[in-house]
Amino acid sequence: MKVYSTILAKKQQGKKQIAILVDPDKHRVADFSTMALRFKDLPIDYLFVGGSLLSKDLLDACLTAFKSITSIPLVIFPGSVMQVNSKADAILLLSLVSGRNADLLIGRHVEAVPYLKQAQIETLSTAYLLIDGGKITTAQYISGTLPIPADKPEIASLTAQAAEMIGHKLVYLDAGSGAISQVPDKMIQQVKKDIQVPLFVGGGIRTPEQAKAKLAAGADLLVIGNVLEQQPEILQKMVDAVKQFE
Ligand code: 1GP
């Protein structure tokens, strides 16, 4: 329960949190140490590692490098059952509650149990809502589900509330990696008003101003990935935007 307790404690202290998402498939093994050295002295709350498609099997190499160089908690953001690894501190056990694909609501979880037991890592029960971000993202395509329309905050809120009632411990609104438009502020505000559990927001956040807007709307934790592949130098500004948020 260590990572979840940390997320909750920071939320209760009114601190905004940032997770940097690294997709191991987008890198070479040699990159991981360089990235870890860039991350290690910044107040990054979590490193999320994973992707919708991991074809190169670099998850282990990535976690190994991050673990040996940084002390930032490592959380797997899995695209499949196979992305379970005991070097991580925790894994987002995602239920794609915006979709109606039974496999992604319970089927894959059943298959993952032996791997999760063996790895003995903390599982973070997460209600995952894909929100239309203006293009078909990998997550949407692979899951074969429709995202929630961006102009339907009430659907997002009812879905999040149902997930919280069912017992999910986190809600994650995701416009998808590289989304053109981020999760709308109005939707974040509505969901935030209606749930108690920590709220993660990600997908297409490219500037510190966008980050601040999502935090002001009510996000407790931002997930930032894609922009750092294109502009690694923006990392410090993104972290500052979150950490200096008042
Ligand atoms: C994607 O929310 C994450 O699932 C992060 O999105 O890569 O667009 O920052 P980006």
Side-chain angles (χ1 to χ4, degrees), residues 19-23 26 48 50-52 77 128 130 137 139 172-180 182-183 200-206 222-230 238:
I20 300 302
L21 171 63
V22 176
D23 181 344
K26 292 186 180 161
F48 284 6
S52 297
F77 181 11
Y128 186 60
L130 274 180
T137 57
Y172 186 166
L173 301 178
D174 196 351
S177 186
I180 295 169
Q182 306 85 40
V183 178
F200 291 9
V201 173
I205 299 172
R206 287 182 196 80
L222 296 184
V223 184
I224 312 281
N226 236 49
V227 72
L228 302 173
E229 314 283 346
Q230 296 138 16
M238 284 294 197

Side-chain angles (χ1 to χ4, degrees), residues 7 25 37 48 68 89 101 111 113 132 147 182 184 199 204 210-211 223 236 243:
I7 295 169
D25 252 17
L37 289 168
F48 284 6
S68 66
D89 298 287
N101 177 336
E111 292 166 19
V113 168
D132 191 349
Q182 306 85 40
L199 178 59
Q210 289 168 348
V223 184
Q236 176 84 54
K243 293 298 157 184

Side-chain angles (χ1 to χ4, degrees), residues 11 156-157 159-164 170-172 188-200 220:
K11 176 181 185 285
S157 173
T159 307
Q161 289 179 70
E164 183 177 49
L170 299 166
V171 169
Y172 186 166
I188 299 171
Q189 283 161 5
Q190 172 99 43
V191 172
K192 177 68 178 178
K193 181 170 73 62
D194 295 334
I195 62 166
Q196 265 78 55
V197 295
L199 178 59
F200 291 9
D220 297 303

Side-chain angles (χ1 to χ4, degrees), residues 116-135:
L116 293 168
K117 286 257 167 125
Q118 194 181 13
Q120 292 189 327
I121 52 175
E122 180 183 350
T123 50
L124 305 171
S125 163
T126 305
Y128 186 60
L129 284 72
L130 274 180
I131 311 300
D132 191 349
K135 71 171 197 179

Side-chain angles (χ1 to χ4, degrees), residues 2 40 44-45 47 66-74 89:
K2 202 162 165 290
K40 91 179 177 49
I44 295 167
D45 296 285
L47 290 173
F66 287 0
K67 202 177 169 92
S68 66
I69 295 172
T70 82
S71 53
I72 305 169
L74 304 177
D89 298 287

